[in-house]
Amino acid sequence: GQFRIGPHTDFGTVTLLDRQQGKGGLQVWIAPEDGGEGWEDAPYDPAALTVNIGDLMARWTGGRWRSGRHRVLPPSPDAPDEDLLSLVYFYECDPHTTVAPIAGPVAHEPVDSSVYLRDKLDAINVS
């Protein structure tokens, strides 16, 4: 009943994933108000990368681009030993970049990218 990775959004700007298809794969949250029905399997194309927008990029665009809530399911009971390989690249700002919304429907106060990311990481750290 555990997830490989539980529901979350990425903290930074952009995450690139080169994924393998599997039964315990990536799912994205599509809200009913966006025409979805909750958790859906992320589209998979072996010739393409998956791009996740992170929380910091969502702030930078004033909410025009939203960070995507996602999770990775555990192996299914019919493939309990399934291994999935994903190559993940987290693209971040230069340290201490001031991130202020450039446009968009949501007003955010400017933040220092390093402080913002450190605060997010500290919030999930178990002391």
Side-chain angles (χ1 to χ4, degrees), residues 28-40 66-70:
V28 293
W29 176 258
I30 309 295
E33 58 268 20
D34 293 330
E37 297 183 16
W39 291 107
E40 298 181 15
R66 294 181 292 171
S67 54
R69 188 170 174 218
H70 54 283

Side-chain angles (χ1 to χ4, degrees), residues 39-122:
W39 291 107
E40 298 181 15
D41 291 334
Y44 176 75
D45 180 341
L49 296 174
T50 299
V51 178
N52 286 341
I53 297 299
D55 299 337
L56 200 55
M57 182 64 79
R59 290 181 70 91
W60 216 336
T61 65
R64 181 174 177 197
W65 295 354
R66 294 181 292 171
S67 54
R69 188 170 174 218
H70 54 283
R71 67 184 184 182
V72 182
L73 297 177
S76 68
D78 62 324
D81 296 325
E82 175 187 64
D83 287 327
L84 286 181
L85 177 67
S86 293
L87 177 63
V88 182
Y89 178 76
F90 297 99
Y91 178 80
E92 304 303 347
C93 306
D94 287 338
H96 301 292
T97 298
T98 298
V99 175
I102 53 175
V106 181
H108 292 286
E109 292 296 317
V111 294
D112 176 298
S113 63
S114 298
V115 173
Y116 180 86
L117 292 173
R118 175 53 42 207
D119 288 348
K120 288 285 198 171
L121 292 169
D122 287 347

